[in-house]
Amino acid sequence: MALVSVLTPILVAVLCVVIALVFRSFQNTKTTSKPESKPKGDERPWVDEDLQDDTEISSKDNEGDDWLDSGGEEELPHVPYTPTRYQPEEMLERSKQFYSLLNQRRSVRFISPEPVPRSVIDNVILAAGTAPSGAHTEPWTFVVVSEPETKHKIRLIVEEEEEINYKQRMGNKWVKDLERLRTNWVKEYLDVAPYLILIFKQAYGILPNGKKKTHYYNEISVSISCGLLLAALHNVGLVTVTTTPLNCGPQLRALLRRPANEKLLMLLPVGYAAADATVPDLKRKPLDDVMVYI
Amino acid sequence: MALVSVLTPILVAVLCVVIALVFRSFQNTKTTSKPESKPKGDERPWVDEDLQDDTEISSKDNEGDDWLDSGGEEELPHVPYTPTRYQPEEMLERSKQFYSLLNQRRSVRFISPEPVPRSVIDNVILAAGTAPSGAHTEPWTFVVVSEPETKHKIRLIVEEEEEINYKQRMGNKWVKDLERLRTNWVKEYLDVAPYLILIFKQAYGILPNGKKKTHYYNEISVSISCGLLLAALHNVGLVTVTTTPLNCGPQLRALLRRPANEKLLMLLPVGYAAADATVPDLKRKPLDDVMVYI
């Protein structure tokens, strides 16, 4: 009995250590299992899981300030640059015409199945590729899909996720916004449009030695490039609608066999406007609401 | 002694519970104190603190899929939309010309002080404002600064932060990239360029009842708008360079008296190219490197 009493403090200490270890491993299990848990079908907002990998975080953390629109070579020589110069009257006229052109652009969901020349698509992609990018990484991949079976697979993936999104995941407010605008998860244009352009941002590049190379500001760069693409499409009389399919990124990336460093940013169905195309009767803000002059 | 022996298991149990509780509270302290720790002035990368408020997070979490290029009114009527249509040969020609135009654009740091007509600036901002945006929120504010004193204050803010960034905060890799490209924290163009365009994204809007209204995809929308702005500037023969001044957002926002929902996304110095302007002799990727056709 005396022996037991002597041993009691040791027994207590050992048991405490054991329990602390058990508790700790339980805590760790809880922590590591968290990212694996699927979003539940409730009203909580969520983000595309494909965008939540560590690369995305490190690329975000590595932002620098200056875009350095210049190449990856060791020391680039500088060359003279003399862009075309216009007289003030001509400048004013060109600025008016360009605004007038772009102001006629609208997002269109009613797209004609008529074929569109492939070379026109090549040229609008080339135009998009002239965008500036952080450290001139040109972190974009434009996947142009015209093959009907692939288009249909894309539609199935997008509609399946969209239906879940609309019905279960979205906040009441967003669903209400959608109802008001008669948009739902049926995306007929994904079958009908002669081209689907899926725009991937390259979150990082791979150096010859296999190491990852951060692509600074990749999302902003690719979005700027999309701006040029929208202008180029409208300039040739084609229409599209800017969509960002939620939660479909990983599946579409797998379907289109894009590498792990590429994340889907946008999906644009492209073609002529359908003969009976309509758009919501919206207005744009006047200049005074978007510009402040100092 | 017998009493002690009888109590030993109870003593052990109580002690274990106490230790488990202590351990748990220690774990919680570790977890909650993590986000409060300030980034240190070492080589660790960082992000603009102004972008880390809760609004930004909630707007990111609330992303929907479809951009709904339509107004905030209750139920917008639809109207027919018949964009200009071109014959295939004309489409091809227009697509070539547009690509050729944009392909001559370069980021230019050498800007002439010559004055530029104000009405041209108005029109390029109007063109930028035609961009699509999530739920047609048009979440952009373009602050155009021509007043020399304000330009100089902007320069002082940017250069002070830049110098700290370059010298202390940036990763070795990024600083090396910058050295290679002869860029440093002296930004003479901020004084010289006739206009500075500071582009703010509105992370949220304010409803008439004072509540916040989420601006879905505000950063992507404003970046697309910047793409249109770059095209519009180049189209009239003006030059700029895409910059995203780090850590200057809050100070510049205060200087320009922008409200709390607006975050600086980009700063573009705008003017004619200087007579002796040079650019790095870089190339753009060929079409096969940016486009995949299926």
Side-chain angles (χ1 to χ4, degrees):
Chain A
M1 214 58 219
L3 184 68
V4 171
S5 291
V6 167
L7 287 180
T8 298
I10 299 166
L11 184 73
V12 168
V14 168
L15 260 168
C16 287
V17 167
V18 167
I19 289 190
L21 286 174
V22 167
F23 194 81
R24 184 180 211 162
S25 88
F26 169 71
Q27 292 281 74
N28 284 348
T29 313
K30 252 177 67 182
T31 314
T32 51
S33 73
K34 219 171 177 179
E36 287 163 28
S37 69
K38 289 267 168 193
K40 292 200 190 83
D42 59 13
E43 281 187 15
R44 286 278 306 140
W46 79 110
V47 292
D48 194 323
E49 289 186 13
D50 196 38
L51 298 177
Q52 292 178 325
D53 63 19
D54 55 341
T55 314
E56 197 55 23
I57 291 156
S58 81
S59 103
K60 189 123 197 157
D61 285 352
N62 266 310
E63 292 174 317
D65 82 301
D66 204 322
W67 282 45
L68 307 166
D69 195 0
S70 44
E73 293 90 54
E74 267 318 293
E75 173 71 77
L76 283 168
H78 271 237
V79 292
Y81 179 67
T82 49
T84 313
R85 200 167 159 158
Y86 307 98
Q87 290 304 307
E89 303 74 34
E90 199 180 353
M91 283 179 88
L92 189 55
E93 188 51 36
R94 287 181 70 91
S95 69
K96 271 184 201 165
Q97 278 176 4
F98 197 72
Y99 165 53
S100 170
L101 172 73
L102 293 192
N103 199 30
Q104 289 160 41
R105 190 201 59 78
R106 292 296 306 272
S107 292
V108 178
R109 284 170 188 76
F110 307 95
I111 297 177
S112 163
E114 294 161 272
V116 168
R118 162 75 193 276
S119 47
V120 170
I121 300 298
D122 289 354
N123 286 336
V124 296
I125 302 286
L126 280 167
T130 67
S133 55
H136 195 56
T137 44
E138 300 172 278
W140 38 67
T141 305
F142 299 90
V143 181
V144 178
V145 180
S146 70
E147 203 257 312
E149 205 183 318
T150 307
K151 284 196 292 178
H152 192 64
K153 282 179 186 165
I154 291 170
R155 179 177 175 177
L156 293 180
I157 291 170
V158 172
E159 287 187 351
E160 190 185 5
E161 282 297 329
E162 290 294 282
E163 190 173 348
I164 298 169
N165 293 343
Y166 279 58
K167 285 191 173 164
Q168 298 180 351
R169 295 185 192 141
M170 284 194 178
N172 280 338
K173 210 186 130 295
W174 182 250
V175 171
K176 227 171 126 186
D177 285 353
L178 289 166
E179 275 167 10
R180 208 183 65 209
L181 294 148
R182 303 187 205 136
T183 310
N184 58 29
W185 60 87
V186 180
K187 311 276 184 190
E188 208 189 336
Y189 54 67
L190 294 176
D191 269 326
V192 171
Y195 297 102
L196 304 181
I197 304 182
L198 292 96
I199 300 142
F200 289 83
K201 56 175 189 173
Q202 297 164 359
Y204 56 91
I206 309 287
L207 294 169
N209 63 10
K211 281 194 174 175
K212 289 178 183 182
K213 180 192 168 202
T214 307
H215 282 174
Y216 304 102
Y217 295 108
N218 65 80
E219 184 163 303
I220 295 177
S221 305
V222 180
S223 300
I224 290 174
S225 171
C226 283
L228 302 185
L229 180 59
L230 294 177
L233 287 168
H234 177 70
N235 177 60
V236 294
L238 295 173
V239 299
T240 187
V241 52
T242 317
T243 73
T244 40
L246 267 173
N247 294 317
C248 304
Q251 280 174 277
L252 292 175
R253 181 158 64 79
L255 174 71
L256 303 171
R257 300 183 189 200
R258 302 312 308 157
N261 65 330
E262 297 190 1
K263 314 287 177 191
L264 182 67
L265 187 66
M266 277 178 240
L267 191 167
L268 306 181
V270 169
Y272 298 103
D276 57 353
T278 60
V279 293
D281 191 18
L282 68 84
K283 301 284 172 273
R284 292 189 168 114
K285 288 180 182 171
L287 186 61
D288 284 349
D289 285 2
V290 298
M291 189 175 98
V292 175
Y293 189 82
I294 296 172
Chain B
M1 214 58 216
L3 184 68
V4 171
S5 292
V6 167
L7 287 179
T8 298
I10 297 166
L11 185 72
V12 167
V14 167
L15 259 168
C16 286
V17 167
V18 166
I19 289 189
L21 285 174
V22 166
F23 194 81
R24 183 180 211 164
S25 88
F26 171 70
Q27 292 280 75
N28 283 349
T29 314
K30 250 175 72 182
T31 315
T32 51
S33 71
K34 220 171 177 180
E36 286 165 26
S37 68
K38 289 262 168 194
K40 294 198 188 81
D42 56 12
E43 280 187 17
R44 288 275 307 138
W46 79 109
V47 292
D48 194 323
E49 290 186 13
D50 196 37
L51 299 177
Q52 291 178 325
D53 63 21
D54 55 342
T55 314
E56 197 57 23
I57 291 157
S58 81
S59 102
K60 190 125 195 154
D61 284 353
N62 267 310
E63 291 174 317
D65 80 302
D66 203 323
W67 281 44
L68 307 166
D69 194 0
S70 44
E73 293 89 55
E74 268 318 293
E75 172 72 77
L76 283 167
H78 271 238
V79 290
Y81 179 66
T82 48
T84 312
R85 201 167 156 157
Y86 306 99
Q87 290 304 307
E89 304 73 37
E90 198 180 353
M91 283 179 89
L92 190 56
E93 188 50 37
R94 286 180 71 91
S95 69
K96 271 185 202 164
Q97 278 176 4
F98 198 71
Y99 166 53
S100 170
L101 172 73
L102 292 192
N103 199 30
Q104 289 161 40
R105 189 201 59 78
R106 292 296 306 272
S107 292
V108 178
R109 284 171 188 74
F110 307 95
I111 297 177
S112 162
E114 295 162 89
V116 167
R118 161 76 193 274
S119 47
V120 171
I121 300 299
D122 289 354
N123 285 335
V124 296
I125 302 287
L126 280 167
T130 67
S133 55
H136 195 56
T137 44
E138 300 172 277
W140 37 67
T141 304
F142 299 91
V143 181
V144 178
V145 180
S146 70
E147 203 257 313
E149 205 183 318
T150 307
K151 284 197 291 179
H152 192 64
K153 282 180 186 164
I154 292 171
R155 178 177 176 178
L156 293 180
I157 291 171
V158 172
E159 287 187 350
E160 190 185 6
E161 282 297 328
E162 291 293 282
E163 190 171 350
I164 298 170
N165 292 343
Y166 280 58
K167 286 190 174 166
Q168 298 180 352
R169 296 186 192 142
M170 285 195 178
N172 280 338
K173 209 185 133 292
W174 181 250
V175 172
K176 227 172 128 186
D177 285 354
L178 288 166
E179 275 168 8
R180 209 182 65 208
L181 294 148
R182 303 184 207 140
T183 310
N184 58 30
W185 61 86
V186 180
K187 311 277 183 191
E188 208 188 336
Y189 54 68
L190 294 177
D191 269 327
V192 171
Y195 297 102
L196 304 181
I197 304 182
L198 293 97
I199 300 143
F200 289 83
K201 57 175 188 173
Q202 297 163 358
Y204 56 91
I206 310 288
L207 293 170
N209 63 10
K211 281 193 174 174
K212 289 179 183 181
K213 181 191 166 200
T214 308
H215 281 174
Y216 304 102
Y217 295 109
N218 65 79
E219 184 163 304
I220 295 177
S221 305
V222 179
S223 300
I224 290 174
S225 170
C226 284
L228 301 185
L229 181 58
L230 294 177
L233 287 168
H234 177 69
N235 177 61
V236 294
L238 295 173
V239 299
T240 187
V241 52
T242 317
T243 73
T244 39
L246 268 172
N247 295 318
C248 305
Q251 280 174 275
L252 292 175
R253 180 157 64 78
L255 174 70
L256 303 171
R257 301 183 188 200
R258 301 311 308 156
N261 65 329
E262 296 190 3
K263 314 287 176 190
L264 182 67
L265 187 66
M266 278 179 239
L267 191 168
L268 306 181
V270 169
Y272 298 104
D276 58 352
T278 59
V279 293
D281 190 17
L282 67 85
K283 300 284 172 271
R284 293 190 168 113
K285 288 180 183 172
L287 186 61
D288 285 349
D289 286 2
V290 298
M291 189 175 98
V292 175
Y293 189 82
I294 296 173

